[in-house]
Structure formats: C-alpha cells, structure tokens
Amino acid sequence: MKKILIPIDFSEISNNTLEYAKTIFDTDICTFYLLNVYISNPSNLLSEEYSDSVLTEMSDESEKDLKLFLYKVTNQNDNNNHHFEIISKANTLVKTINSIVISKKIDFIVMGTKGAKGAKEVFLGSNTVKVINRVENCPILVVPESYVVKKPSLIAFSTNFKRAYIEEELKPLINIAISNNSKINIARIMMEEYLNDSQKINKETLKVFFKDLDYIFCKIYVESSETNAIKGFIKQTKSDLIVLIHHKYNFFQKLVEEDVVDKISFNSSIPLLILPELK
C-alpha cells in the first residue's frame, strides 16, 4: 500500500493537488494523509499574540476545516483503493513533513505551488524549494497551480549519466510509469558531444532498470541554460511530467553550477517529480 502525504490549506490548489494525486495513483491501494499546518513559524508560539486560548481556537478551526474537507473528499471518492486520514499540526511545514515521513513511512509527498486562506507563505515557490531541499529520502511531486489534471502519458526524465544509478531511487519513477502506462523520454543534457566510458556504463545500467518500460534516449543541447533547455524540450515533446534526481552539490559546486531543480520548481507548467539521491 502506498502512503501519500498532501499538505493542504483548503484552497483550490489543494483540491487540484489532491485530484492529481488520486489520478496518478488511481490503480494503487493508497492512504492519503491530508496535512494542515496552521502555524508555519513556531517562534510565533512565544509571541503574546498567540495565547493558549488563541492557539486552542486555531487548533479547533484546523481540525474542523480538515473534517469538513475529509467529508467532502470521501463523499466524492469512487475509488475503493483510496483511503484518507487527516493531520493537523502547529509547526514549520518542513519539520512537520520530515516527522510524518518517518512516523508514517510516507512513499510520496504531493504538494501544490500556491495556496490561500492565511497560509500563503506555506505554498509559495520558495517554500516548495525548502521542502525539496530539506526533506530527505522521499520523492516529491510538485503540481503547478493552474495545471489541468490528467494521467501522464509521456514522462521526461532528465539526466547526464555522470553518476551511477541506484535502482531504489528510480523505483518511484518506474512505478508511476507502469501504473499509468507512460512512455519515458530519457533526455541527456548535452554539454559535450560524446559519453565517456563511465557515462556509457551508467547508461547501460539504466537500460537494465528500465527493461520493462517503454522508453527512448534523447539529447538536449544547451544554448543558454539547462533550465531553458529542459523547458524547450518539454514544450517540444508535449511531456506531461518532468523527473529529476536531486543531486546534493557541495558548497563550491553550488557557487558555479546552475541549480536546475530550484529554478524549474518555481515556474514549471507541468508537474515535477523530484527523486531523492540515495547513497
């Protein structure tokens, strides 16, 4: 059974994010954990503004709204494989998610890029990036605010073959592709003309892991930036989902390399799946 964590704030983007999660995992037995974080900055707990009575009121409101949201979701659900639970917390989004990922053994986090109802800072791009960078060992699906929900028929997996692949870190992509009968374009960002010996070995390893999938290898030529190159490729191929492995750069590399994950997550027009790099 898959366990999916979805941060919500009761806005339209929350509804859209949940619909996407239900669609992409529609053939899987799933428990969806609907999370509402009603205080995004715990330092505010020390403020006079947040007395015990105010916190109790906020907690009660969060629980009430979650139960109403759950009632609507369960009544509209026609998939017997899908089950829903609610979680209300007063903490930072990142700390809360990290805790729940461990305690509930979460398989995927699915989150929108914007929200409303007094918690906008939780769902803006910068906070999406914080979750991507600070939540470890859990795949993250980011759904753009205006995305029209549909199953991914074509997935773009961007890679450069410069590191060895671990089958475990690719399993989320493989599972989604199989469940949705998706084709995969394995897109290599071209900084050089030919693969070296190490890259060739990594490419062959990828073929072994993807043996049961419908895939092809493609080349992306970089003219201005990796971000623009990937976006151009997505537009040209009409892909439905972007997949990246989130490599952990060291400090020097962060200064000199373009952070593609961060930039794409701010303004991608289609959902983005971030796979954590496993050691």
Side-chain angles (χ1 to χ4, degrees):
M1 181 178 71
K2 286 187 173 61
K3 298 182 178 181
I4 317 296
L5 178 62
I6 305 179
I8 63 170
D9 69 341
F10 316 110
S11 66
E12 192 57 40
I13 184 61
S14 295
N15 295 327
N16 201 53
T17 301
L18 177 57
E19 283 303 312
Y20 183 75
K22 289 164 58 181
T23 299
I24 202 170
F25 299 114
D26 70 336
T27 61
D28 298 294
I29 299 174
C30 299
T31 295
F32 295 95
Y33 294 94
L34 310 176
L35 168 67
N36 179 239
V37 177
Y38 58 89
I39 294 182
S40 62
N41 186 355
S43 64
N44 289 338
L45 293 171
L46 302 177
S47 170
E48 293 181 359
E49 178 184 354
Y50 291 93
S51 63
D52 288 343
S53 60
V54 172
L55 289 174
T56 299
E57 183 179 343
M58 293 175 67
S59 176
D60 290 344
E61 182 180 1
S62 175
E63 288 280 354
K64 178 183 176 182
D65 289 344
L66 275 172
K67 289 177 180 177
L68 179 60
F69 190 81
L70 178 63
Y71 176 79
K72 293 178 180 178
V73 167
T74 53
N75 274 277
Q76 294 171 358
N77 180 55
D78 57 1
N79 190 333
N80 293 329
N81 289 332
H82 291 173
H83 307 277
F84 305 88
E85 295 186 19
I86 57 175
I87 302 174
S88 175
K89 294 288 184 181
N91 207 330
T92 66
L93 187 65
V94 170
K95 286 185 178 180
T96 301
I97 288 177
N98 268 317
S99 175
I100 295 173
V101 164
I102 295 171
S103 64
K104 301 293 186 181
K105 297 181 179 179
I106 298 297
D107 297 297
F108 286 90
I109 299 163
V110 185
M111 59 188 302
T113 54
K114 288 187 179 181
K117 198 170 181 180
K120 292 183 179 180
E121 71 277 15
V122 174
F123 289 87
L124 290 175
S126 60
N127 283 278
T128 301
V129 172
K130 284 180 183 178
V131 172
I132 291 171
N133 286 333
R134 298 178 189 176
V135 174
E136 298 184 348
N137 301 325
C138 189
I140 300 171
L141 263 167
V142 181
V143 185
E145 180 179 18
S146 58
Y147 185 71
V148 178
V149 172
K150 62 178 179 178
K151 293 176 73 68
S153 59
L154 182 59
I155 298 173
F157 174 44
S158 177
T159 183
N160 55 21
F161 306 114
K162 288 185 178 180
R163 60 181 288 279
Y165 301 100
I166 301 173
E167 186 173 12
E168 191 66 26
E169 68 188 4
L170 294 172
K171 277 187 176 180
L173 165 58
I174 294 171
N175 289 339
I176 286 176
I178 292 175
S179 296
N180 293 274
N181 196 28
S182 308
K183 297 181 179 180
I184 302 178
N185 282 340
I186 303 172
R188 176 165 74 97
I189 299 174
M190 291 285 294
M191 303 302 291
E192 56 282 316
E193 187 64 26
Y194 302 104
L195 298 178
N196 59 35
D197 290 341
S198 176
Q199 287 174 306
K200 289 177 181 178
I201 292 173
N202 294 334
K203 181 178 180 179
E204 291 304 311
T205 300
L206 198 60
K207 289 181 181 180
V208 174
F209 293 156
F210 283 9
K211 65 182 184 299
D212 297 323
L213 304 178
D214 182 1
Y215 70 88
I216 60 172
F217 290 97
C218 309
K219 296 178 182 179
I220 300 179
Y221 293 93
V222 178
E223 295 183 358
S224 57
S225 71
E226 290 186 18
T227 304
N228 289 334
I230 292 175
K231 285 183 179 179
F233 180 80
I234 296 304
K235 184 176 181 180
Q236 179 183 358
T237 58
K238 298 181 180 179
S239 300
D240 304 306
L241 176 66
I242 313 172
V243 181
L244 302 170
I245 297 177
H246 193 197
H247 304 304
K248 301 296 184 182
Y249 299 136
N250 62 35
F251 179 73
F252 176 75
Q253 287 172 319
K254 280 188 175 180
L255 291 179
V256 298
E257 294 190 41
E258 179 184 14
D259 198 332
V260 176
V261 168
D262 283 10
K263 291 185 178 180
I264 289 181
S265 63
F266 273 108
N267 47 30
S268 173
S269 60
I270 65 174
L272 170 68
L273 172 61
I274 304 295
L275 302 177
E277 180 181 37
L278 303 180
K279 303 299 182 183

